Amino acid sequence: MVKLINVIEISPLLYAKDDYELPEISDYPDPEEWFSRWEKVASKLNFNFKIIEKGSYLADIGTIDDENLQMILENRLKDIEEDSEEENFVLAFDGGLALEKNNTIYIKPTCCSDMSDLKNWQDIFTNPSLEWTMMWIGHHGFCTEKKMEK
């Protein structure tokens, strides 16, 4: 089955009250080992959500409980002063949509993508062109093409 999953990027260190050292991916070229270290740090932070695949910071927003959502929102808004112009310009969460088929992630948001990129997925259906079209979901994006049904 194919499904689209709403995801946001969550780095455990942004929410730590203590100093934790998250492993660099370059230090652990094996995704299984890196994921194990990531889980160890995240477990100390009382995270209760599901990331979409090993080696990823992308969390399925449908699995984020109220306590963790509050922690994420408070962190996101902590440096914004009330009644300031900055209050009107809170950036969208990093993330977007991930395409999963049979428990394998085939397409996921990348660097510089955020929840506002959801419109680009909608454009796949509303764009009348049958030509290859660039779809932005972060660097480096990817191309889509419509095929005429026979």
Side-chain angles (χ1 to χ4, degrees):
M1 166 165 38
V2 175
K3 66 180 180 176
L4 293 174
I5 305 167
N6 287 299
V7 297
I8 60 173
E9 184 176 19
I10 298 177
S11 172
L13 296 184
L14 291 177
Y15 308 98
K17 292 178 178 46
D18 300 319
D19 287 333
Y20 293 102
E21 193 168 318
L22 191 66
E24 292 291 328
I25 286 184
S26 60
D27 294 338
Y28 296 91
D30 175 16
E32 295 285 332
E33 187 177 356
W34 183 89
F35 180 72
S36 173
R37 295 273 312 203
W38 188 94
E39 275 191 318
K40 192 174 188 178
V41 171
S43 69
K44 294 177 183 176
L45 301 176
N46 193 31
F47 283 166
N48 187 21
F49 53 81
K50 177 184 171 242
I51 62 171
I52 61 169
E53 66 183 349
K54 293 179 179 180
S56 173
Y57 284 169
L58 297 171
D60 177 346
I61 63 173
T63 65
I64 300 173
D65 65 14
D66 290 347
E67 180 183 345
N68 281 268
L69 179 60
Q70 181 176 348
M71 178 178 59
I72 292 164
L73 291 172
E74 285 174 356
N75 182 277
R76 184 73 171 190
L77 301 173
K78 74 179 177 194
D79 296 326
I80 296 176
E81 296 177 24
E82 284 187 45
D83 300 324
S84 72
E85 286 191 28
E86 197 177 52
E87 188 176 42
N88 296 322
F89 297 103
V90 177
L91 298 175
F93 282 103
D94 295 335
L97 287 175
L99 183 125
E100 178 187 81
K101 181 178 180 185
N102 300 326
N103 297 318
T104 301
I105 301 295
Y106 287 96
I107 300 172
K108 62 186 172 188
T110 56
C111 166
C112 300
S113 66
D114 61 43
M115 295 304 284
S116 69
D117 295 329
L118 298 178
K119 173 145 180 21
N120 295 321
W121 284 87
Q122 183 180 21
D123 289 346
I124 292 173
F125 303 103
T126 60
N127 182 353
S129 173
L130 297 177
E131 302 294 321
W132 284 100
T133 306
M134 182 69 166
M135 181 174 144
W136 175 259
I137 59 166
H139 292 104
H140 297 283
F142 70 96
C143 292
T144 62
E145 178 188 33
K146 286 187 179 178
K147 299 278 187 181
M148 294 295 292
E149 290 189 38
K150 295 181 182 180

